[in-house]
Each structure stands twice: as structure tokens, then as C-alpha cells.
């Protein structure tokens, strides 16, 4: 794993141990293929970067400017010497997901590491929650993972190896008002994680959910004005009194921390971790 530049890096493992962990992960992931949904931005992009740095071929997915995505694909491949494919499948559409999975499986033979990360948010009281937002959040944040999982598993089973990491949320463990669809979908993905983990436990495949607290990505930045409106407070108050108030550390979780945690779950040291719904939220759910 690439050296992190977290402010508390001095408290991390000794440099020698970091190198050893990196070497073990690199040996394991080199030449494997990782598909990360929603990897043109935020957490998904950070995970793609971390797995590419460990030698995995990457399938990127997500929306964005076509030129910027091409540049991202070329840059990732060149810097890490891996193959990088992009498929812009809309994760709310089962046929598009099926087509993306078919292309990726055709290209690489198997998707060894599947990271279900694509997600959207909408903040509104439940009795004013727009129907189309409810349907989109359930489709993208939950059903998409069912489709990618069912389509990735046969090749994983054939190889006797697989890593599925579902990027859930602290909202897979606790609720917040005005996020009914998101909280329902994230609790749902925790259930999907546990169920699939049990089904494939003897086949070298682990299935886990990582549950970040607030990470300052476009997804969070976009919900600040809506939360301010729903609660009748200023945007600044949303950051300090709502978002960071939930996290005892009073700090945002970083993309790099979630990416490093995900990479760890893909390695051999994590082979006995499965069916777990794992918080990375600055102590939020310890309240
Ligand atoms: P982001 O908005 O930065 O990135 C979301 C990604 O998903 C983008 O690449 C976007 O193009 C893609 N995407 C959105 N709709 C899509 C669709 N229909 N089809 C394909 N791709 C689509 O958000 P983020 O904060 O990086 O969130 C990533 C995941 O992490 C989400 O599942 C989110 O719920 C989860 N999460 C985020 C936070 C946080 O604080 N940012 C906390 C906990 C969990």
C-alpha cells in the first residue's frame, strides 16, 4: 500500500512492517482484477488508486466528463503498470450492469475483487421524499450490488478466490433523520453482505462491508445545503453540529483511510474476516 500522509502517521506501524504488509498485499493482488463501481470520484477513486498501486488490474465505473475519465484511465494504467478498463454502466439499470460484467469477465476471465461502492444520497423528510429518489437510491445503493455479486460469483468460485467489499456506511448501523432511503439501502447491504458471506464461506471468497463515517467527498458536500434546509440551520452548522458532531474524533474520515482498509480486506491477512460489517467512522457508533 502506498505510504499514507495522514497527520498521525507517526503513530502507525513501523516503516518495516508497512513495507512487509505492502509486499504481501502486492504479491497477492498483482495480476488480479478489481472492479470498483462508482470509481470516477471520491471513495471509489481512492480504492481504485490503492488497488492499482498494489498491482491489480482495474475496471473503473461511474459518471463524469468523458475526457477526464479517459485521462484518469490512462494515468492510472501508466503510473502503476496495470490494465485499466472503463465502463460507464448506469448502476440503476440491471441490463447495463449485466453488459459491464460481461465485458469485464470477457477481458480478464474473472473479477477477483468486487467493490460495490457507487452510491447517491437524497435528504428529505420521509413524508416528502420524492418517489423517484427513493427508487434510485434503492437501485444504485443496494440492488446494483446484488447484480454485480451474482454475476461475479461464478468465476470467483471457479478460481476458489474472491473478495467482495461493499462500501456501506455508518448508516448501515445507525440512522439519521431525513435519510430514509439511504439508511434503508445501507442496512439492506449489511444484510446482503452477511448472507452472501455465508453462502460462499467455504470457497475462498470473503464478503464484507466497510462502514465509513463522514468523508468529505462530493456526495457529502452536495447534501450540506439540503440538510441545512431540512433542519432549518446554516450550512456551517450542518458541518459542525450535525456531521462532525456524530464523530467523536471531530474529524472527517479520509478517502485514503477507507481505501487502505479496503485493500487490507483484499489480502491474505484478512482471509478469516467475512460477513463483517466494519465501522471506520471515528467512533460514531460507539455512542
Ligand atoms: P461521490 O459522489 O464522490 O462518488 C460516487 C460515485 O458513484 C461517482 O463515481 C459517481 O459517478 C458514481 N455514481 C453515482 N451514480 C451512479 C450510477 N447510477 N451509476 C454508476 N455510477 C454512479 O461519493 P462518495 O462519497 O465517494 O461515495 C461512495 C460510496 O461511499 C457511496 O456508496 C456512499 O454511500 C458511501 N459512503 C460515503 C460516505 C461519505 O461521507 N462520503 C460515508 C459513508 C459511505
Amino acid at each position: 500500500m502506498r505510504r499514507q500522509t495522514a497527520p498521525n502517521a507517526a503513530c502507525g506501524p513501523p516503516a518495516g512492517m508497512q513495507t512487509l504488509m505492502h509486499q504481501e498485499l502486492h504479491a497477492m493482488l498483482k495480476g488480479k482484477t478489481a472492479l470498483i463501481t462508482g470509481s470516477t470520484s471520491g471513495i471509489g477513486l481512492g480504492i481504485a488508486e490503492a488497488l492499482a498501486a498494489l498491482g491489480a488490474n482495474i475496471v473503473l465505473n461511474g459518471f463524469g466528463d468523458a475526457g477526464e475519465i479517459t485521462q484518469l484511465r490512462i494515468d492510472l494504467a501508466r503510473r502503476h503498470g496495470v490494465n485499466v478498463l472503463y465502463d460507464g454502466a448506469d448502476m440503476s439499470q440491471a441490463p447495463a450492469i449485466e453488459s459491464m460484467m460481461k465485458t469485464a469477465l470477457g477481458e480478464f476471465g474473472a473479477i477477483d475483487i468486487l467493490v460495490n461502492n457507487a452510491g447517491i444520497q437524497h435528504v428529505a423528510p420521509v413524508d416528502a421524499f420524492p418517489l423517484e429518489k427513493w427508487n434510485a437510491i434503492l437501485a444504485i445503493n443496494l440492488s446494483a450490488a446484488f447484480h454485480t455479486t451474482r454475476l461475479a460469483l461464478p468465476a470467483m468460485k471457479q478460481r476458489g478466490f474472491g473478495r467482495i467489499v461493499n462500501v456501506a456506511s455508518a448508516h448501515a448501523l445507525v440512522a439519521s433523520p431525513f435519510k430514509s432511503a439511504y439508511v434503508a439501502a445501507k442496512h439492506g447491504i449489511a444484510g446482503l453482505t452477511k448472507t452472501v458471506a455465508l453462502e460462499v464461506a467455504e470457497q475462498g471468497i470473503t464478503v464484507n462491508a466497510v462502514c465509513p463515517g463522514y468523508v468529505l467527498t462530493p456526495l457529502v458536500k452536495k447534501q450540506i445545503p439540503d440538510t441545512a434546509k431540512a433542519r432549518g440551520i446554516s450550512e456551517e452548522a450542518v458541518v459542525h453540529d450535525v456531521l462532525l458532531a456524530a464523530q467523536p474524533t471531530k474529524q472527517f474520515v479520509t478517502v485514503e483511510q477507507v481505501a487502505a482498509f479496503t485493500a487490507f480486506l483484499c489480502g491474505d491477512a484478512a482471509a478469516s474476516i467475512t460477513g463483517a460489517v466494519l465501522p471506520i467512522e471515528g467512533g460514531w457508533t460507539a455512542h
Side-chain angles (χ1 to χ4, degrees):
M1 167 186 333
R2 290 193 326 144
R3 290 285 287 269
Q4 303 296 308
T5 51
N8 57 351
C11 306
M17 197 187 291
Q18 282 187 358
T19 310
L20 197 63
M21 281 167 62
H22 174 96
Q23 283 169 356
E24 281 173 6
L25 271 173
H26 195 274
M28 178 142 176
L29 300 191
K30 190 170 167 45
K32 290 203 163 53
T33 297
L35 184 149
I36 305 107
T37 69
S39 44
T40 52
S41 163
I43 293 170
L45 179 55
I47 293 172
E49 181 75 42
L51 296 178
L54 289 165
N57 298 316
I58 301 293
V59 183
L60 294 170
N61 159 261
F63 298 152
D65 176 78
E68 282 176 22
I69 293 172
T70 301
Q71 198 48 49
L72 172 67
R73 186 175 59 74
I74 293 169
D75 183 52
L76 206 56
R78 186 184 47 74
R79 279 190 293 116
H80 301 299
V82 297
N83 295 317
V84 181
L85 212 74
Y86 166 73
D87 191 302
D90 181 341
M91 299 306 288
S92 69
Q93 305 296 323
I97 297 172
E98 283 168 6
S99 162
M100 174 181 75
M101 297 299 284
K102 197 171 165 197
T103 306
L105 289 165
E107 183 74 19
F108 296 111
I111 293 157
D112 307 290
I113 298 162
L114 170 64
V115 182
N116 289 305
N117 167 79
I120 58 166
Q121 173 64 287
H122 186 78
V123 180
V126 69
D127 49 354
F129 212 89
L131 193 59
E132 73 279 7
K133 291 286 184 198
W134 174 274
N135 288 335
I137 289 173
L138 269 286
I140 297 164
N141 296 20
L142 178 57
S143 298
F146 159 68
H147 294 301
T148 54
T149 299
R150 71 181 170 83
L151 296 165
L153 276 179
M156 286 182 177
K157 287 179 182 173
Q158 217 166 31
R159 290 193 177 179
F161 176 86
R163 293 286 187 267
I164 300 178
V165 180
N166 296 319
V167 180
S169 164
H171 284 117
L173 300 162
V174 292
S176 295
F178 313 120
K179 297 184 178 179
S180 53
Y182 188 85
V183 172
K186 294 296 185 182
H187 275 64
I189 206 150
L192 179 69
T193 301
K194 293 178 193 176
T195 307
V196 180
L198 295 179
E199 291 183 20
V200 298
E202 292 180 48
Q203 297 176 74
I205 304 166
T206 68
V207 190
N208 292 294
V210 294
C211 298
Y214 287 108
V215 186
L216 203 52
T217 64
L219 179 137
V220 165
K221 286 180 189 158
K222 268 185 264 167
Q223 69 184 271
I224 291 173
D226 291 344
T227 304
K229 202 167 139 200
R231 290 181 181 248
I233 55 177
S234 72
E235 294 187 17
E236 201 178 35
V238 170
V239 172
H240 293 102
D241 302 342
V242 179
L243 304 185
L244 293 181
Q247 295 184 186
T249 53
K250 298 283 180 276
Q251 288 185 23
F252 284 104
V253 178
T254 68
V255 165
E256 290 76 13
Q257 288 164 351
V258 180
F261 191 29
T262 302
F264 171 76
L265 290 173
C266 295
D268 201 36
S272 294
I273 303 176
T274 195
V277 181
L278 301 159
I280 170 166
E281 33 61 315
W284 177 343
T285 59
H287 285 285

